[in-house]
Amino acid sequence: MELSEAIKGRRSVRKFKSQAVSRETLAKLLDLAVWAPSGMNRQEWFFQVVQGEKKDQLLNIFSSAFETMRPNLEKVFTDKPKIVEGMKQFFQTYGGAPVFIMAYAGKGPSGQWDTHSTALAVHNLLLAAHAEGLGAVWTDGILIKEAEINAALGIEGRKLVAAVPVGYPDEVPRIPPRRGGRVQWVGF
């Protein structure tokens, strides 16, 4: 797959087949993820791959995250209640994804969380998943429950950046149009 094809063809997949993803395939995705650039090449990211009972435990936390967000979502989507209901269902099931990859940041030299480097690694992960015929989506609405998630996973001293459900797609997401006016040329 050509790079431009991967970039333009990748979509956020939110509905998955129940088919398991092999550990070997997941390891390949994560190997490509960690080839991302990072601040001062410190590579302060950390990934936890979750399935089984821990994944089910996370789903309960994710569902409670939605309930915390619900009042704000209902304000934003007052005229679109189907969007709110769709989001509720997604938070309860995470699309039936067989595995979650939890992406964490460590601290950079300044003592601040290096979330930018982790974001770059997650982008590599999303592209690698697409290249392998898998679906995935960056999710961060669950960050409001970070303390509960970290406690469930035994994580300390790291900042949760995203939860990425991964699996074989059971949908073909629409291709959203690109918005214009996002690039300005100076001095040309």
Side-chain angles (χ1 to χ4, degrees):
M1 176 181 297
E2 291 289 323
L3 179 60
S4 61
E5 180 185 350
I7 290 171
K8 290 181 177 182
R10 190 215 58 82
R11 296 284 168 270
S12 294
V13 173
R14 293 179 179 88
K15 187 174 179 188
F16 303 91
K17 296 177 181 175
S18 60
Q19 178 182 353
V21 179
S22 73
R23 183 178 177 139
E24 176 183 84
T25 299
L26 293 166
K28 183 177 179 181
L29 302 182
L30 290 160
D31 178 60
L32 292 170
V34 300
W35 278 92
S38 64
M40 296 186 190
N41 198 30
R42 292 175 53 91
Q43 304 172 31
E44 288 293 335
W45 43 60
F46 177 78
F47 297 93
Q48 193 171 71
V49 185
V50 184
Q51 65 179 11
E53 289 180 25
K54 278 292 181 191
K55 185 185 79 136
D56 295 338
Q57 187 179 359
L58 287 178
L59 277 176
N60 288 330
I61 298 170
F62 295 173
S63 185
S64 71
F66 173 82
E67 291 306 324
T68 303
M69 296 169 39
R70 182 181 210 127
N72 288 336
L73 292 170
E74 288 173 341
K75 285 179 189 173
V76 171
F77 298 107
T78 54
D79 59 337
K80 298 177 181 175
K82 286 184 179 181
I83 290 177
V84 176
E85 277 306 306
M87 290 176 80
K88 176 183 178 183
Q89 174 141 1
F90 179 75
F91 273 73
Q92 291 173 337
T93 66
Y94 256 49
V99 65
F100 302 158
I101 299 177
M102 308 301 287
Y104 284 88
K107 289 190 176 180
S110 69
Q112 300 294 314
W113 295 114
D114 186 10
T115 57
H116 300 304
S117 295
T118 302
L120 292 169
V122 171
H123 186 252
N124 275 12
L125 173 71
L126 295 172
L127 288 171
H130 174 61
E132 287 294 315
L134 295 166
V137 61
W138 171 299
T139 68
D140 58 10
I142 48 83
L143 295 180
I144 59 176
K145 296 291 183 172
E146 180 178 7
E148 288 179 57
I149 293 167
N150 290 352
L153 297 176
I155 300 290
E156 293 180 7
R158 298 186 185 275
K159 174 76 178 151
L160 181 60
V161 175
V164 181
V166 177
Y168 292 94
D170 197 19
E171 69 174 349
V172 178
R174 69 176 184 81
I175 300 171
R178 299 293 97 187
R179 295 178 180 169
R182 304 293 188 208
V183 177
Q184 181 181 37
W185 297 84
V186 179
F188 283 84

